[in-house]
Structures are given as C-alpha cells and as structure tokens.
Amino acid sequence: MTDTKSLTENKFERIREIYVESFPEKVDELRECWAKINAAKVATKPLQKMRTAVHKMAGSSGSHGFDDIYVLTRKIEKCIVEVLDKETDWSSNQELVGNQVQELVNLLEEHSLHYSPLDGVETQIPRLDALQLSHRELAVFIISQRTVELSLLSNLLEGRGFSVFSFSGLERAFAMAKTVDPAIVVLDLGDADQISLDESLKNKFRSSKNEIPAFIVISRRDDVNTRLGAARFGAEAFFATPINAHNFSSTLDVILETRGNDYCRVLLMDDDSQRISYIEKVFINENIKCRVISEVEQITDELVNFKPDLVLIAHKQNDESSVNAARMVRLHETYFNTPIIFLLEEESIQLRIEALRSGADDCISGNEYEQEIFSILKDRIMRFRRANHMIIMDSLTGTLNRDAFFDRASEEISLAIRRNETICLGMIDVDHFKQINDKNGHVVGDYVLRHISDYLNNRLRRSDVVGRYAGDEFLVFLPDTDLDSAYLVLDMIRKNLMSQCISMNNIDVRVSISLGLVATRPTEPLNVESLIVEADKKLYEAKMAGRNTLIAGVV
C-alpha cells in the first residue's frame, strides 16, 4: 500500500503545532503557581494547584508525543503528592521541586522556540480521538489503601482518557476537591467499613457548581450489610473485588451518559398541547431530550431515528392508537425492551390493565402529574441503559456481541449513506491462538482475549464499534474514516500489541495479530455481512503473507 500514512501524519503534526502554541500560557501558569507557593506561609493549597497543573500537562503531553515533558511532569507530581500525603517534608523537597519546575519551564520554552516535527510520527499517535480533537478529560477520584486496586482502576481510567487522582485517605481527597471538581468518586471500603458512608461525606465532594458527583463503592466484602450501606448512601454502583474491568467500564459509561451532558431521550406520543408543554418544561430541567409525535404511524421511524431511552404514551378510554403504539415498540427487534410508560388521563383499573397487557411497564395517572414523578423517569432510564449494556456485551471480552455489533454497524452504514462518508471495517485474528490455549490453558487464553479487547477499546474512539465475531476474531467498524487513517491506527495497534508482554499467574505470553481492512463510501443500502466477507478475504491474504501483518483495500 503506497503512502497510506501521509494524510494522518499531517493531521497529527498540525495538532501538535496547536498544542505547542499553548506552551507560553503553561509557562505563565507554572510561574504563578510557584510564586504563590513561595509566598504562602502554608503551602498546601498552592501545592494542590501546582499538582493539578502538572497532572493535566502530563496527560496532554503524552497524548501529543512530548515524552520529555511527560516524564518530567510525572516526577514533579510524584514529589508533590509525597509532600501532600505527609510522606516527606516540604522544606527538604522545596529545592528539588523548584529545580524541576524551572527545568520544565525551560523545556516548554525550548519547544516553543525550536519546535520540530516528530520522527516516525506513526509510533506516537495514541488514538483517533487525538486526530479528531474529540478527546475529553473528566476528573475521577479514587480513594483506596490497596495499591493493586489503585493501579488497576487508574490504568483503566487513564486509558479511557480520564484525569485520575488517587488518594490513600479521605483528607487529601477532600482538600483536592476544593481545587478540582470530580465527576466520579470511587470509594474503596477495603476489608471493613474503613470509610463511613454518610451525607456529610457527599457534601465534602460538592462541586463549585453545588453539584454532588457520582459515587462508586468497592469492597472486599460482598454481604448484605455492605451492599445495604452502599444503597443507603445513594451509590450509583457497587463492585466487590476483584473488579471485572469490563463491567466497571460499562457502568462508568452509563453513569456519565445519564449524569453528564449526554441527553436522555424520551419519545412522547400525545396530542394534548397543554400536557406536552408541561412535560417538556420538566424534561428541560432534567436534561432530558423529548421528541413528540401524535400519530401511531410515526412511531417506527422515530424509534430508529431518535433512539429513545424511554417511551411515554398518553392513553384514554377506548384509545386503540396508544395500545397499538406500545405493541409496535414490543414488536421491534432492536427496541423491544425499551421502557414504556402510559400517561392515564384518569385513575382506572381497567385503563391500567389495558396498558400493561399492551406492553407498558408502568402507568402514571392524571392526579400524579407532578414534577417529581417525571423527574424520576431518569432513574428508570439509567437502569435500562445498564441492563442494555449487559445484554449487548460479550461476557468474556467486554466488547459488543455479534448481534449488537451487526445492529450498530448497520446503523452507521445508514448514516454514512445519508452523509456521503467513507467507512472502514477491520477483521482481526489472533495468530496461533490455539497454541496459546494448548500451552498455557484456557484461563490464560481468555485473559489474552480480554487484554486485546481492552487495548482495542482504549485506543479507538468512542464512536468506533468493536465487537467479538467468533472465538479469537474481532471486528472493528470505523465510521467517517478514510482508509489511510484507519490503516495507520490499526497497524499501530498491531505493532504495539506485538511489543507487549501479557502476564498472568507467572506466565508471560506474547501475541501477534493479523488484520484485514476494507474501506467503502456506500451510496445505497449495504449489509454488514458483505463488508465482513471482503475484510475476511484481506485477512486471509494477511495470513498467507506470514501473519502479523495488515492487508487493506477499497471495495
């Protein structure tokens, strides 16, 4: 394949140039923080601000290929954390940190004055998010006295693009919460109730916008009292250790979708303008996006186009359209399990029975039209999303299962046709996987598959679709991506996986993968199977070429 990397290299270099343009501001921030540290009688608060500054710089510099800045900022952060945790004295570390900060300032100024493109830029590109400037950072606090759990969760979350702050005790976390607003707080109860779960604990993490973050509780104990304590505390999730990384990651996605800027989507079928206006106002306050229809004939199209998390249907005596609407939702192969709530104009046993028989999950009667009733629909949506995640995920690898992958890929193909975009599909096979199983056992083989799936999910965009096809084969669907960009990123994944040593139970395993990749710009309906057939042909060519390679083409 000729010149497959030039386009993506140019994109990445332009992003690095933009990043370098921000270095003078970073220098000013460092100098201001250091001046406040020197001027303060008690340096705790300005040290926290310095730690936040270098922590963010470490994450962004690594993503943009500035390894020298990354290494130095991590050193500075480590020294500051030791001081804040009172493991070392500030007076004995002040000179060391000062020299490191000055070295960092010099380094930033040097890059600003004498910026040079990367040599071999392909080895530095971390993921497609960076290429498309869609990377986001949210702060996650982890409070745990167990180094294994801290390491596991930190690596998982940092790989997902979060800004992770780890603490061995609550006091340091409380202090940092005055500077950084966490989106999620992970509390490790350990072997016993080492952390008291109460309302005062929540309030100490209250943000500058007076919002309380989501709390996830983990514990070695998995008994009724521990779970009951987490429930009373209002935790969004509970995990007993050892933690299943895939379930944790999926739960995190659902929490952020429900609490964050991502709208919950409710499809409302009603023709009462006054009630519609009232419900829409309530939903705006709850960050719920509402789509209104009045005819049963509209419901199938809106299920596909709007993808609701919940369906609200107004129902009155002898109203066949509402009953048929519910039945149509239940007949849809993709949205059959979407929650349905009937809005009853009056309280009636007969109306409730009709609603439930037609497929409704619950009913709200006319005398219950209060804001609180509609606002708790968000809780039902969150439960639906969590349950849906469990249904569509492959239980071993945490990627989409085969059916879910086909559904998602089909939706993306339809979008690509409407938007006239190029799409890519890659097929991945683990080389000599049977030998790995035969030599090391299926437990190790399963671990290898989980490692590969984690790596794929962490290195690709949130918009990309990763699924397990069969056995040791994976599928990757890349929407709105040209062949050059897809080739570069997937081949980099291949090279990086080959260089890694996968360790489990004192067994070290090295793996390689073969890949087939195809690109197309669909102009008419195209089924996923036909793309897979073409990708499988390229995969076969890769195997015939000696494995551990990628063969690509346009179809």
Side-chain angles (χ1 to χ4, degrees):
M1 196 168 156
T2 306
D3 196 23
T4 57
K5 306 178 180 64
S6 58
L7 178 58
T8 304
E9 289 179 359
N10 290 337
K11 291 179 183 177
F12 188 55
E13 279 304 336
R14 179 55 190 144
I15 292 167
R16 293 184 84 239
E17 290 171 7
I18 295 171
Y19 181 63
V20 170
E21 290 171 5
S22 71
F23 283 4
E25 293 178 9
K26 297 183 188 300
V27 168
D28 291 342
E29 182 182 10
L30 290 171
R31 285 175 172 158
E32 182 182 351
C33 284
W34 188 248
K36 289 181 178 180
I37 289 171
N38 288 329
K41 292 182 179 179
V42 179
T44 303
K45 192 169 183 179
L47 274 174
Q48 290 168 350
K49 290 186 177 180
M50 177 65 83
R51 184 204 172 181
T52 302
V54 296
H55 182 89
K56 290 181 177 179
M57 208 179 301
S60 59
S61 61
S63 294
H64 290 83
F66 292 92
D67 292 339
D68 48 359
I69 297 176
Y70 172 82
V71 171
L72 187 51
T73 48
R74 285 301 190 196
K75 285 181 181 178
I76 297 172
E77 183 183 14
K78 183 175 183 293
C79 289
I80 294 175
V81 168
E82 289 174 353
V83 172
L84 292 175
D85 288 341
K86 301 191 185 318
E87 295 177 10
T88 58
D89 183 63
W90 172 234
S91 59
S92 61
N93 279 270
Q94 187 170 2
E95 183 179 355
L96 172 62
V97 175
N99 291 336
Q100 290 176 334
V101 170
Q102 185 58 52
E103 184 182 351
L104 178 57
V105 167
N106 295 340
L107 195 56
L108 292 169
E109 290 178 336
E110 177 67 21
H111 279 301
S112 295
L113 292 171
H114 307 291
Y115 170 70
S116 58
L118 283 171
D119 292 327
V121 69
E122 59 175 323
T123 63
Q124 303 294 330
I125 297 179
R127 49 195 288 163
L128 277 173
D129 318 47
L131 299 180
Q132 301 197 359
L133 298 176
S134 60
H135 184 72
R136 61 173 183 153
E137 275 199 3
L138 292 173
V140 178
F141 284 14
I142 305 174
I143 298 101
S144 176
Q145 295 182 0
R146 296 185 285 169
T147 55
V148 173
E149 275 65 30
L150 273 176
S151 176
L152 169 68
L153 294 177
S154 294
N155 290 339
L156 172 66
L157 296 174
E158 286 179 349
R160 295 286 306 279
F162 296 103
S163 186
V164 180
F165 295 83
S166 303
F167 309 92
S168 58
L170 282 171
E171 293 305 318
R172 297 293 339 121
F174 293 155
M176 182 58 71
K178 295 176 181 178
T179 306
V180 177
D181 292 335
I184 293 175
V185 177
V186 182
L187 299 169
D188 182 7
L189 304 183
D191 296 308
D193 295 332
Q194 297 172 345
I195 297 176
S196 178
L197 301 178
D198 54 36
E199 200 66 27
S200 64
L201 175 62
K202 283 185 180 180
N203 289 328
K204 288 181 179 178
F205 287 105
R206 194 178 289 274
S207 73
S208 56
K209 297 179 181 178
N210 203 34
E211 297 174 346
I212 292 178
F215 288 90
I216 296 176
V217 174
I218 64 176
S219 174
R220 274 204 181 110
R221 296 168 56 184
D222 188 12
D223 51 42
V224 173
N225 289 334
T226 305
R227 285 184 175 268
L228 181 59
R232 285 173 174 164
F233 178 64
E236 300 276 4
F238 174 88
F239 291 92
T241 55
I243 293 171
N244 183 307
H246 311 298
N247 290 344
F248 187 89
S249 185
S250 295
T251 301
L252 207 67
D253 285 339
V254 175
I255 291 172
L256 291 174
E257 285 172 5
T258 308
R259 293 176 62 102
N261 293 325
D262 290 342
Y263 283 102
C264 297
R265 298 176 299 277
V266 172
L267 179 62
L268 171 61
M269 179 174 158
D270 197 356
D271 57 8
D272 186 321
S273 59
Q274 186 175 355
R275 182 168 52 209
I276 291 171
S277 177
Y278 172 74
I279 292 174
E280 286 181 325
K281 288 178 182 177
V282 174
F283 283 173
I284 288 173
N285 293 332
E286 295 296 327
N287 203 29
I288 295 175
K289 197 170 188 177
C290 184
R291 179 75 59 84
V292 181
I293 60 174
S294 58
E295 304 293 336
V296 65
E297 289 80 10
Q298 299 173 273
I299 199 158
T300 300
D301 286 342
E302 292 302 333
L303 286 174
V304 175
N305 297 328
F306 187 55
K307 300 179 177 61
D309 298 301
L310 184 142
V311 178
L312 276 178
I313 301 176
H315 181 56
K316 55 190 175 184
Q317 197 77 34
N318 301 319
D319 183 4
E320 290 188 4
S321 63
S322 57
V323 171
N324 290 333
R327 288 173 176 165
M328 289 179 71
V329 174
R330 294 297 178 233
L331 287 173
H332 199 286
E333 59 183 7
T334 302
Y335 300 97
F336 68 93
N337 63 335
T338 303
I340 300 175
I341 308 293
F342 267 43
L343 302 175
L344 307 181
E345 291 196 347
E346 60 185 60
E347 179 57 53
S348 163
I349 295 296
Q350 182 181 348
L351 287 179
R352 284 184 176 269
I353 291 174
E354 284 180 3
L356 295 173
R357 280 180 173 168
S358 66
D361 295 289
D362 205 348
C363 302
I364 300 174
S365 62
N367 59 0
E368 296 175 327
Y369 289 175
E370 301 293 337
Q371 180 168 340
E372 289 77 11
I373 294 294
F374 287 107
S375 66
I376 63 173
L377 292 178
K378 201 167 183 179
D379 296 326
R380 185 182 285 270
I381 289 172
M382 182 174 177
R383 289 194 296 273
F384 163 68
R385 286 184 172 180
R386 290 185 67 175
N388 205 43
H389 264 76
M390 296 179 69
I391 292 171
I392 66 177
M393 291 296 176
D394 175 66
S395 59
L396 173 63
T397 63
T399 61
L400 292 179
N401 61 37
R402 181 170 172 154
D403 290 342
F405 178 90
F406 275 54
D407 289 341
R408 279 284 309 279
S410 297
E411 292 174 4
E412 293 294 343
I413 290 172
S414 297
L415 286 174
I417 293 172
R418 291 201 295 270
R419 297 171 180 172
N420 192 30
E421 294 173 348
T422 300
I423 56 175
C424 292
L425 185 138
M427 194 169 192
I428 301 170
D429 182 79
V430 183
D431 295 334
H432 306 298
F433 183 69
K434 184 177 184 302
Q435 294 179 16
I436 295 174
N437 272 336
D438 293 344
K439 182 179 178 181
N440 304 294
H442 285 79
V443 172
V444 174
D446 289 349
Y447 186 80
V448 167
L449 293 180
R450 285 195 294 270
H451 177 89
I452 293 172
S453 64
D454 282 345
Y455 193 79
L456 289 171
N457 282 320
N458 288 340
R459 305 305 281 186
L460 295 172
R461 299 167 298 185
R462 290 171 63 84
S463 58
D464 296 328
V465 188
V466 181
R468 187 182 181 195
Y469 186 57
D472 59 324
E473 292 180 327
F474 295 90
L475 294 170
V476 177
F477 189 96
L478 302 147
D480 191 18
T481 306
D482 57 65
L483 187 61
D484 289 351
S485 297
Y487 184 98
L488 178 58
V489 172
L490 291 181
D491 200 48
M492 198 62 252
I493 287 174
R494 177 189 65 81
K495 292 175 182 176
N496 288 343
L497 277 172
M498 182 179 60
S499 67
Q500 295 174 5
C501 181
I502 305 172
S503 299
M504 182 190 183
N505 298 336
N506 296 319
I507 297 174
D508 294 336
V509 180
R510 291 191 178 275
V511 299
S512 64
I513 57 174
S514 300
L515 302 94
L517 173 66
V518 292
T520 186
R521 187 185 293 267
T523 56
E524 57 186 31
L526 173 72
N527 62 51
V528 183
E529 289 89 340
S530 63
L531 271 183
I532 292 175
V533 168
E534 297 301 323
D536 195 22
K537 292 177 182 177
K538 297 299 179 184
L539 176 61
Y540 180 78
E541 291 179 29
K543 290 180 179 180
M544 292 299 99
R547 302 180 189 269
N548 188 25
T549 191
L550 189 160
I551 301 295
V554 176
V555 295

